[in-house]
């Protein structure tokens, strides 16, 4: 994959440049990014470091997706750049422009960490709902994460869940924090009464 130098130059000098749209298009398609895009990580690390936190949001989210889809060999080659980009993404959390962007930045951090599940699935918090199938009765269910659900017992059962929630609370993202307790909470199927942790079920389906 080769992106024209003039496109990269335009993007590097202006975080609002239309060149960023072209870089996104040429790097990936419908959420899947070509492993060859990993070659952009050094450039993205330099570019993001030069931008103010709010100006680098979209670029660092792109980098998170690219890092997630990179091969193990490329992640090793670009380990320093991935670590630098992760730090830049974390720095953005406290000043994220919107709740949606805050979640995307958390997802980018998961991508830099190589988390195959939450590097792809965490933006379900932004969607506000999760489609699940009860593992006992196979009932198809649509779970609302925004207003809560009578059959969700909010919870934070894992270290990752607690970290994501703490970040949201610290940044004053109350609606995100609440949605995370539901995403990681325990759901009771209204059809058969079976109970399961939504996030565990989602991770199991995504990992197949």
């Amino acid at each position: 994959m080769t992106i024209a130098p003039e496109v990269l130059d335009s993007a590097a000098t202006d975080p609002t440049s239309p060149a960023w749209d072209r870089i996104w298009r040429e790097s990936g398609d419908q959420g899947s990014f070509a492993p060859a895009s990993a070659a952009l990580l050094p450039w993205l690390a330099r570019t993001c470091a030069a931008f103010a936190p709010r100006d680098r949001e979209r670029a660092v989210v792109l980098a998170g997706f690219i890092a997630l889809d990179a091969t193990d060999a490329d992640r090793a080659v670009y380990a320093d750049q991935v670590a630098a980009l992760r730090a830049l993404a974390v720095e953005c959390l406290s000043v994220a422009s919107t709740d949606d962007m805050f979640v995307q930045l958390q997802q980018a951090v998961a991508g830099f960490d190589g988390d195959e599940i939450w590097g792809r699935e965490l933006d379900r918090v932004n969607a506000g709902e999760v489609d699940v199938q009860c593992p006992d009765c196979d009932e198809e269910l649509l779970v609302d994460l925004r207003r809560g659900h009578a059959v969700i017992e909010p919870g934070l059962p894992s270290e990752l869940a607690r970290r994501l929630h703490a970040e949201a609370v610290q940044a004053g993202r109350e609606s995100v924090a609440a949605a995370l307790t539901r995403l990681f909470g325990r759901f009771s199927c209204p059809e058969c009464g079976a109970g399961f942790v939504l996030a565990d079920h989602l991770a199991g389906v995504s990992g197949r």
Side-chain angles (χ1 to χ4, degrees):
M1 184 208 69
T2 303
I3 296 176
E6 59 269 23
V7 174
L8 297 178
D9 289 345
S10 178
T13 56
D14 181 2
T16 65
S17 169
W20 284 104
D21 294 329
R22 182 169 173 183
I23 294 169
W24 273 84
R25 287 195 305 270
E26 295 189 15
S27 299
D29 178 50
Q30 296 183 351
S32 179
F33 288 77
S37 299
L40 286 174
L41 289 170
W43 174 83
L44 281 164
R46 293 192 302 272
T47 300
C48 289
F51 287 161
R54 278 207 175 180
D55 290 338
R56 79 169 74 109
E57 289 178 335
R58 192 177 178 211
V60 84
V61 168
L62 169 63
F65 282 122
I66 290 175
L68 182 63
D69 283 340
T71 65
D72 290 344
D74 280 339
R75 286 184 65 89
V77 169
Y78 300 122
D80 289 346
Q81 288 83 4
V82 168
L85 284 160
R86 186 190 191 281
L88 292 170
V90 170
E91 185 181 0
C92 291
L93 289 173
S94 63
V95 293
S97 55
T98 64
D99 282 358
D100 281 5
M101 178 54 72
F102 179 86
V103 173
Q104 290 177 47
L105 288 164
Q106 287 190 310
Q107 185 171 340
V109 172
F112 295 129
D113 289 342
D115 188 327
E116 290 286 342
I117 303 301
W118 300 113
R120 304 185 194 282
E121 302 290 347
L122 193 61
D123 61 358
R124 288 177 184 257
V125 172
N126 289 340
E129 57 190 25
V130 177
D131 287 302
V132 297
Q133 183 178 48
C134 176
D136 279 24
C137 71
D138 295 330
E139 181 72 13
E140 297 284 348
L141 304 162
L142 182 63
V143 183
D144 188 337
L145 298 177
R146 287 184 175 155
R147 292 189 299 273
H149 200 295
V151 288
I152 295 180
E153 180 184 350
L156 298 168
S158 66
E159 181 180 350
L160 172 66
R162 291 188 288 274
R163 191 200 84 203
L164 294 172
H165 182 263
E167 288 172 348
V169 170
Q170 185 174 4
R173 305 288 173 174
E174 295 180 4
S175 62
V176 173
L180 286 166
T181 66
R182 296 170 191 135
L183 177 63
F184 288 94
R186 187 170 183 82
F187 183 83
S188 297
C189 175
E191 295 298 319
C192 71
F196 55 93
V197 176
L198 277 175
D200 289 350
H201 179 66
L202 182 60
V205 172
S206 300
R208 289 176 187 169

